[in-house]
């Protein structure tokens, strides 16, 4: 009976991970990376301007979005939602999809400078209507890449855990 | 499997179902919590998420006026460091300055205006409109108003002045407990100069400090610590430091020679040294004969007898001070808080003058005028002006009091009657940021921004020998519903119909306007560029020096009374002199609500949290008390209790207590912790400066029979053969580790 219960736990755990991954949460606006980065070929760093300058890539400020959407596709319902935020002076409360634990020190600036494609860690975002966490951003991925590119001190604990 | 019956089957299904549910929940709980990525609607121009922005400003934690650089991220202040361009702090900052973050983020900060609810006797939150309306209404009908604030330097003082000027009869009064009134009066009487001179510790080779704990709190501790380091290790002859004080301070512990002198006789000792120098031919001025006769009463025998300092030591210091050039003598702290405080300051000036240390590098250099038009020192009041306020309040001739960021209910002795007087004033409004003892007695509280959220400017005091001014700018947006104090005054004046009295729309405008004048006097380029570079640098200086030659007339010293101090309380009933001392941790008590300062071990005793009383081991044995015994320290004016800290470096007839704790208000960290020695000192003043003689009270010490755990970091102060304090004798290294160590024998309680 204990064995059956344990087996049940494994099944439950797997079912949760497989069917409720939580890697593509419901965002306040149904923003499509496919439309922006894919179909219209807007470069990633046009909006995520901080990526090459800062530890965090950042999300665009509302006025950045409105830079285009004052003119472009103003009648679409999701763009209207954005305009509402803009008119009330409120930021859009986006939900994080890619999130590293607090004990990992990761800096975008360094990786962008090294010429790593965004897609290496974030997956083919330009083909996603709803962004989900596709690449397994775990320690193994970091180490494999660091080893492959022979990063100096790339496998030292303190390089990331500091 | 064939013999699974129905009951068994249901059990297995149940177990499996519970297992699946548990596994599902386990996976759910292992997920990251939902996190948001919230951008700005419109980001500030210089903002990058994840990238720190540094702002230069001025520290507001004590009146030294150090320059600070504050690291902010995403609009939050994260770390405060010293501004490397500022000549006072030169990139360094003391512990209290670092703890400025805990003022900003303090959970006990007042976050909105408060009105006293007459029926319940407690405060209720209010709007700014209500609060300003109430204060303006009360001030309109008041005949006599007193505006009492901490020392305010720079252009903000102008708003206070104009505000007071707009009321029909208002007194402007600035009071800081730790202000060195006696030094100012002493300098004025000696040299006719109002501002403090620059004490050039960095370049001196022989410093004699009469009671000034220049490394741990005295007027500008960061700058003096830098000077101390330079003098000791600056790549030239090592400076020699002598510290004269009844209780060893941090500066005493760092000195080459610590000289305990009877409390209050520091000035006598300075004159005794001066007399020796003149007698040895070290003074060659035209008025040498006049000085010889003026200093004749301070011959070595009588000085030695009155100060309790061995005549050989007096002679050695005199010789050292005369022959080691340049030399510098300073005084302050408890030494200038006796009834003869100004005389002590004059005596030390005399010593500097006789030894030829005035106006030279490594001695005393006078400070030129500041680039700012106002220094704000004009409205400074000593203790005596608050004592007058008490008298007037008792007469009922004060109708309203406006108090800002000064806490006399805590720092004034109970004997002064300040608390009772405050109760008699019909209307009290406080503009302070915290619910301190004085604010708690207010009718209306209009809380101000902290210094990290406000505009201001400053002239460091003491200056650094050339003309310096600094600007402080907000480094973060206001955290709460508070206002800049200048803006509050402007709002009150406008509400009373005096909007023309203060010509600026905001504090920022006032500060900017002041610097427009500075720019007009010699700034380069257009003002906007000047202002921008000023804010980036945080400080502005001009290479102007004050090289005037001053002379000190022997009659100033001749006119001094006999220099013997007097004490409150007779020696038979109150056998000990109470030596309260201030430190960098607590300053005048403002550090007591900052957990970092409470956790920071005191530099000499290593005690954290709470208060203590330092007693000489011999005295402790006579009294029959051990470390940690709670004793009652009583003066004629009250008593406090504190645990004993047995301290070998204090004179046997002196007991010392740190100032700053023993609050009844000021928030959760400060409240009901430790005891306040200032509450039991006698309300006697130094007649010449009007400052409180807080080191001139005699006390008795009696065991209460209780014990308290003193939390110290050092454990045992004795060496106990642990080989932790190793000294080498004459033949260094010959006996190695097996040598008997010259550990200092200290008589403490039986083990």
């Amino acid at each position: 009976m204990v064995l059956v219960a344990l087996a049940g736990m494994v099944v439950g755990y797997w079912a949760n991970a497989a069917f409720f991954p939580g890697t593509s949460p419901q965002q306040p606006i149904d923003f499509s990376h496919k439309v922006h980065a894919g179909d219209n070929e807007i470069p990633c760093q046009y909006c995520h301007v901080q990526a090459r300058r800062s530890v965090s890539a950042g999300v665009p400020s509302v006025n950045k979005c409105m830079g285009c959407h004052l003119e472009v596709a103003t009648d679409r319902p999701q763009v209207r939602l954005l305009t509402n935020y803009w008119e009330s002076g409120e930021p859009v409360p986006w939900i994080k999809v890619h999130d590293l634990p607090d004990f990992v020190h990761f800096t975008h600036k360094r990786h962008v400078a090294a010429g790593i494609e965004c897609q290496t860690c974030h997956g083919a975002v330009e083909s996603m209507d709803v962004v989900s966490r596709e690449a397994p951003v775990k320690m193994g991925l970091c180490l494999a890449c660091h080893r492959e590119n022979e990063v100096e001190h790339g496998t030292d604990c303190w390089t990331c855990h500091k | 499997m064939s013999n699974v019956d129905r009951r068994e089957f249901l059990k297995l299904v149940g177990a499996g179902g519970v297992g699946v549910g548990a596994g599902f929940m386990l996976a759910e709980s292992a997920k990251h919590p939902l996190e948001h990525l919230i951008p700005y609607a419109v980001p500030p121009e210089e903002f990058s998420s994840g990238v720190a922005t540094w702002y230069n400003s001025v520290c507001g934690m004590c009146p030294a006026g150090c320059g600070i650089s504050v690291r902010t991220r995403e609009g939050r202040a994260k770390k405060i460091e010293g501004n490397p361009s500022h000549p006072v702090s030169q990139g360094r900052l003391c512990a209290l300055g670092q703890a400025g973050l805990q003022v900003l983020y303090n959970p006990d900060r007042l976050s909105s205006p408060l009105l006293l609810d007459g029926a319940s006797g407690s405060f209720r939150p209010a709007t700014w409109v209500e609060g300003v309306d109430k204060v303006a209404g009360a001030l309109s009908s008041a005949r006599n108003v007193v505006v009492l604030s901490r020392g305010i330097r720079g252009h903000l003082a102008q708003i206070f002045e104009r505000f007071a000027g707009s009321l029909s009869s208002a007194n402007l009064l600035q009071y800081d407990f730790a202000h060195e009134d006696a030094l100012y009066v002493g300098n004025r009487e000696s040299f006719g100069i109002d501002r403090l001179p620059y004490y050039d510790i960095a370049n001196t080779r022989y410093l004699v400090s009469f009671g000034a704990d220049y490394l741990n709190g005295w007027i500008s501790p960061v700058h003096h610590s830098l000077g101390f380091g330079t003098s000791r290790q600056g790549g030239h002859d090592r400076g020699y430091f002598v510290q004269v004080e009844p209780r060893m301070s941090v500066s005493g512990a760092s000195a080459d020679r610590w000289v305990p002198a009877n409390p209050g006789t520091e000035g006598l000792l300075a004159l005794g040294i001066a007399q020796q120098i003149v007698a040895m031919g070290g003074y060659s001025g035209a008025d040498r004969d006049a000085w010889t006769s003026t200093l004749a009463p301070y011959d070595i025998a009588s000085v030695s007898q009155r100060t309790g300092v061995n005549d050989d030591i007096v002679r050695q210091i005199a010789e050292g001070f005369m022959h080691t050039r340049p030399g510098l003598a300073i005084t302050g702290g408890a030494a200038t808080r006796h009834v003869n405080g100004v005389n002590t300051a004059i005596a030390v000036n005399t010593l500097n003058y006789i030894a030829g240390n005035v106006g030279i590098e490594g001695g005393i250099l006078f400070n030129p005028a500041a680039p700012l038009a106002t220094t704000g020192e004009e409205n400074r009041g000593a203790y005596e002006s608050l004592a007058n306020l008490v008298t007037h309040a008792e007469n009922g001739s004060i109708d309203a009091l406006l108090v800002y960021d000064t806490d006399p209910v805590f720092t004034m002795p109970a004997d002064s009657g300040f608390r009772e007087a405050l109760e008699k004033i019909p209307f009290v409004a406080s503009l302070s940021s915290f619910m301190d003892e004085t604010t708690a007695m207010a009718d209306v509280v209009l809380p101000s921004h902290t210094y990290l959220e406000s505009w201001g400017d400053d002239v460091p005091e003491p200056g650094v020998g050339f003309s310096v001014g600094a600007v402080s700018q907000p480094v973060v947006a206001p955290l709460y519903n508070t206002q800049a104090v200048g803006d509050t005054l402007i709002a009150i004046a406008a509400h009373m119909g005096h909007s023309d009295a203060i010509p600026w729309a905001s504090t920022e405008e006032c500060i900017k306007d002041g610097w427009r004048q500075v720019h007009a006097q010699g700034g380069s380029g257009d003002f906007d560029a000047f202002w921008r570079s000023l804010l980036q640098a945080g400080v502005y200086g001009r290479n102007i020096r004050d090289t005037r030659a001053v002379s000190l007339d022997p009659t100033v010293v001749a006119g001094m009374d006999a220099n013997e101090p007097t004490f409150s309380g007779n020696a038979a009933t109150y056998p000990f002199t109470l030596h309260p001392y201030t430190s960098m941790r607590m300053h005048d008590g403002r550090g007591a609500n900052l957990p970092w300062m409470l956790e920071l071990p005191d530099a000499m005793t290593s005690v954290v949290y709470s208060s203590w009383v330092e007693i000489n081991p011999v005295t402790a044995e006579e009294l029959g008390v051990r470390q940690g015994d709670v004793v009652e320290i009583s003066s004629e004016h009250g008593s406090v209790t504190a645990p004993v800290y047995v301290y070998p470096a204090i004179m046997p007839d002196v007991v010392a207590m740190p100032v700053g704790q023993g609050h009844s208000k000021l928030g959760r960290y400060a409240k009901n912790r430790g005891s306040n020695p200032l509450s039991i000192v006698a309300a006697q003043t130094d007649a010449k400066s009007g400052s409180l003689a807080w080191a001139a009270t005699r006390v008795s010490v009696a065991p209460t029979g209780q014990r308290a755990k003193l939390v110290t970091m050092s454990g045992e102060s004795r060496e106990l053969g642990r080989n932790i304090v190793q000294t080498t004798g004459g033949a260094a290294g010959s006996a190695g580790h097996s040598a008997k160590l010259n550990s200092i024998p200290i008589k403490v309680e039986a083990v």
Side-chain angles (χ1 to χ4, degrees):
Chain A
M1 196 164 72
V2 174
L3 284 177
V4 173
L6 283 176
M9 271 182 82
V10 174
V11 171
Y13 195 99
W14 168 82
N16 186 309
F19 300 111
F20 304 92
T23 51
S24 51
Q26 177 65 44
Q27 299 286 0
I29 296 175
D30 290 338
F31 172 84
S32 166
H33 274 86
K34 182 170 176 295
V35 171
H36 290 80
D39 304 346
N40 291 309
E41 295 180 0
I42 301 172
C44 304
Q45 290 190 38
Y46 181 83
C47 297
H48 300 285
V49 282
Q50 307 298 340
R52 61 181 177 276
R53 299 180 185 139
S54 169
V55 289
S56 58
V59 284
S61 55
V62 183
N63 69 337
K64 185 104 193 172
C65 305
M66 293 308 291
C68 296
H69 282 296
L70 279 176
E71 302 292 334
V72 178
T74 51
D75 55 341
R76 302 229 177 120
Q78 295 301 317
V79 176
R80 286 233 184 90
L81 279 178
L82 174 74
T83 315
N84 287 345
Y85 279 109
W86 173 245
E87 280 168 358
S88 59
E90 294 285 324
V92 184
W94 300 108
I95 295 166
K96 268 188 178 180
V97 175
H98 289 88
D99 187 19
L100 288 171
D102 290 345
F103 50 78
V104 179
H105 175 80
F106 174 84
T107 155
H108 276 91
K109 185 176 161 183
R110 284 236 161 184
H111 291 82
V112 173
I116 308 293
E117 291 290 324
C118 307
Q119 286 83 349
T120 313
C121 303
H122 291 280
V125 173
E126 72 279 5
S127 64
M128 299 178 197
D129 268 324
V130 179
V131 172
S132 66
R133 200 160 60 222
E134 291 199 338
V137 188
K138 296 267 160 75
M139 195 165 134
L141 185 81
C142 304
L143 283 175
C145 193
H146 281 187
R147 284 206 181 96
E148 192 181 313
N149 293 312
E150 294 175 354
V151 178
E152 194 183 351
H153 302 301
T155 56
D156 287 2
C157 307
W158 280 14
T159 300
C160 306
H161 300 295
K162 59 185 176 185
Chain B
M1 292 295 282
S2 60
N3 57 355
V4 172
D5 59 11
R6 181 170 173 274
R7 177 173 290 191
E8 193 70 11
F9 175 74
L10 286 175
K11 272 185 189 171
L12 287 173
V13 168
V18 169
V20 170
F24 191 89
M25 295 313 290
L26 185 69
E28 194 65 32
S29 69
K31 280 181 187 164
H32 282 307
L34 187 83
E35 285 190 35
H36 284 99
L37 263 177
I38 299 180
Y40 275 97
V42 182
E45 201 181 326
E46 68 275 18
F47 171 78
S48 285
S49 71
V51 177
T53 313
W54 293 74
Y55 294 98
N56 280 336
S57 192
V58 178
C59 184
M61 297 300 285
C62 90
C66 290
I68 52 172
S69 294
V70 185
R71 179 175 176 265
T72 67
R73 261 194 63 177
E74 281 85 39
R76 290 279 177 268
K78 298 280 181 181
K79 182 79 172 76
I80 307 178
E81 302 281 7
N83 176 0
S85 318
H86 198 289
V88 172
S89 50
Q90 298 171 28
R92 312 300 206 278
L93 198 63
C94 76
L96 188 63
Q98 304 261 358
L101 291 177
Q102 293 202 324
V103 171
L104 179 67
Y105 297 123
N106 199 299
D108 295 319
R109 261 187 72 185
L110 299 173
S111 56
S112 78
L114 299 172
L115 295 182
L116 186 68
D117 188 19
S120 70
S122 58
F123 287 107
R124 67 170 175 85
T127 63
W128 275 95
V129 175
E130 271 182 286
V132 168
D133 185 58
K134 185 111 184 192
V135 174
L139 295 190
S140 305
S141 59
R143 287 165 296 122
N144 273 308
V145 182
V146 176
V147 181
L148 173 64
S149 73
R150 65 163 162 83
I152 291 174
R153 298 194 297 237
H155 291 111
L156 182 57
Q158 292 184 335
I159 296 186
F160 274 83
E161 280 160 21
R162 298 208 179 212
F163 176 77
S166 76
L167 304 170
S168 55
S169 100
N171 266 310
L172 203 54
L173 196 55
Q174 300 186 352
Y175 179 72
D176 278 313
F177 164 74
H179 190 68
E180 286 276 1
D181 299 292
L183 284 191
Y184 282 83
V185 178
N187 282 333
R188 205 172 299 139
E189 293 202 1
S190 311
F191 306 124
I193 289 176
D194 284 336
R195 289 188 66 196
L196 286 187
Y198 176 49
Y199 303 101
D200 191 3
I201 295 177
N203 292 313
T204 198
R205 295 290 168 275
Y206 201 106
L207 179 90
V208 189
S209 166
F210 294 90
D213 188 4
Y214 55 95
L215 296 179
N216 189 32
W218 181 67
I219 61 177
S220 194
V222 175
H223 190 76
H224 294 145
S225 299
L226 280 161
F228 175 77
T230 309
S231 182
R232 273 275 173 90
Q233 301 167 343
H236 41 60
D237 290 350
R238 182 180 183 280
Y240 189 85
F241 290 80
V242 179
Q243 185 82 10
V244 180
E245 56 191 4
R247 172 253 171 205
M248 186 187 275
S249 64
V250 175
S251 308
S254 311
D256 298 279
R257 176 162 230 164
W258 174 65
V259 181
N262 290 331
T265 64
E266 289 87 351
L268 266 176
L269 184 60
L271 290 177
I273 296 168
Q275 192 270 341
Q276 278 293 298
I277 292 175
V278 173
M280 289 187 292
Y283 180 71
S284 53
D287 50 355
R288 184 166 185 266
D289 292 341
W291 275 113
T292 309
S293 60
T294 304
L295 293 174
Y298 307 100
D299 64 283
I300 199 153
S302 80
V303 163
S304 169
Q305 187 257 325
R306 287 157 82 187
T307 59
V309 178
N310 188 302
D311 53 359
D312 278 341
I313 296 177
V314 181
R315 211 168 281 126
Q316 282 163 16
I317 297 175
E319 281 174 4
F321 201 63
M322 181 175 134
H323 295 301
T324 319
R325 310 288 300 146
L328 171 64
I330 57 175
T331 186
T336 51
R337 267 51 175 255
H338 284 278
V339 294
N340 60 352
V342 171
N343 287 352
T344 301
I346 294 173
V348 172
N349 284 341
T350 303
L351 175 57
N352 275 322
Y353 182 72
I354 292 293
N357 297 329
V358 178
I360 62 161
E361 272 202 7
I364 283 180
L365 294 166
F366 293 106
N367 278 306
L372 277 61
T374 171
T375 57
E377 288 292 334
E378 303 83 31
N379 301 307
R380 179 70 75 169
Y383 169 84
E384 204 171 51
S385 31
L386 261 71
N388 288 338
L389 181 102
V390 170
T391 316
H392 289 307
E394 301 262 323
N395 296 342
S397 59
I398 295 175
D399 302 315
L401 175 75
L402 213 60
V403 64
Y404 168 59
D405 209 13
T406 186
D407 190 8
V409 174
F410 177 76
T411 55
M412 301 262 288
D415 184 26
S416 69
F418 188 84
R419 179 188 289 270
E420 294 74 18
L422 202 55
E423 279 166 1
K424 292 228 173 79
I425 299 178
F427 180 80
V428 178
S430 170
L431 308 179
S432 305
S433 305
F434 287 93
M435 186 56 77
D436 56 28
E437 282 80 351
T438 309
T439 302
M441 296 175 71
D443 300 291
V444 181
V445 185
L446 301 177
S448 296
H449 291 340
T450 63
Y451 70 101
L452 293 172
E453 300 161 309
S454 11
W455 286 98
D457 52 9
D458 187 49
V459 178
E461 183 76 5
V464 289
F466 57 92
S467 187
V468 175
V471 182
S472 74
Q473 54 180 336
V475 302
V476 293
L479 259 62
Y480 302 114
N481 185 17
T482 56
Q483 270 195 17
V485 65
D487 295 357
T488 306
L489 293 183
I490 291 170
I492 296 171
H495 201 86
M496 291 170 73
H498 302 149
S499 48
D500 51 341
I502 306 176
W504 306 285
S506 66
T507 314
E508 183 184 352
E509 279 302 310
C510 166
I511 306 294
K512 221 168 161 174
D513 205 38
W515 283 90
R516 251 185 215 107
Q517 293 162 33
V518 176
H519 175 251
Q521 288 163 18
S524 54
D526 70 321
F527 177 72
D528 287 339
F530 170 78
W531 180 245
R532 224 186 142 72
S533 66
L534 175 69
L535 292 187
Q536 279 170 354
V539 66
Y540 174 80
R542 284 181 187 155
N543 194 9
I544 299 170
R545 285 163 205 271
D546 185 345
T547 52
R548 80 180 96 171
V550 295
S551 61
L552 208 163
D553 197 326
T555 55
V556 175
V557 180
M560 258 163 38
D561 304 320
N563 217 355
E564 212 81 59
T566 56
F567 292 87
S568 155
N570 70 68
T573 325
Y574 302 102
F576 303 103
T577 305
L578 178 67
H579 178 84
Y581 62 92
T582 57
S583 70
M584 187 197 288
R585 287 166 76 218
M586 299 291 160
H587 196 67
D588 56 5
R590 67 186 73 176
N593 66 345
L594 311 175
W596 286 350
M597 293 297 97
L598 293 168
E599 289 165 14
L600 182 70
D602 173 69
M604 293 308 297
T605 62
S606 89
V607 175
V608 292
Y609 301 102
S610 200
S611 301
W612 63 93
V613 54
E614 289 163 22
I615 297 181
N616 185 285
V618 175
T619 311
E621 193 169 272
E622 281 169 9
L623 290 167
V625 293
R626 292 185 301 149
Q627 180 121 330
D629 280 354
V630 178
V631 292
E632 186 175 44
I633 303 110
S634 313
S635 75
E636 281 179 329
H637 308 285
S639 65
V640 290
T641 57
V644 169
Y645 185 90
V646 178
Y647 191 62
I650 186 169
M651 296 176 81
D653 54 354
V654 177
V655 295
M657 283 187 78
V659 170
Q661 297 206 49
H663 284 275
S664 59
K665 297 274 191 266
L666 200 65
R668 67 194 75 177
Y669 306 115
K671 201 159 76 173
N672 305 330
R673 187 189 293 285
S675 42
N676 179 11
L678 300 178
S679 64
I680 63 166
V681 307
Q684 51 185 346
T685 55
D686 169 9
K688 283 188 181 173
S689 69
S691 68
L692 178 66
W694 48 255
T697 302
R698 290 186 154 279
V699 293
S700 64
V701 176
T704 61
Q706 288 168 318
R707 279 186 64 77
K709 179 124 182 74
L710 263 182
V711 186
T712 66
M713 305 297 287
S714 61
E716 172 58 62
S717 62
R718 288 171 298 165
E719 206 272 347
L720 295 178
R722 289 177 293 173
N723 289 6
I724 51 170
V725 183
Q726 300 201 356
T727 55
T728 52
S734 60
H737 288 287
S738 61
K740 186 177 180 301
L741 297 174
N742 293 329
S743 51
I744 305 155
I746 298 165
K747 199 177 167 198
V748 205
E749 81 265 22
V751 182

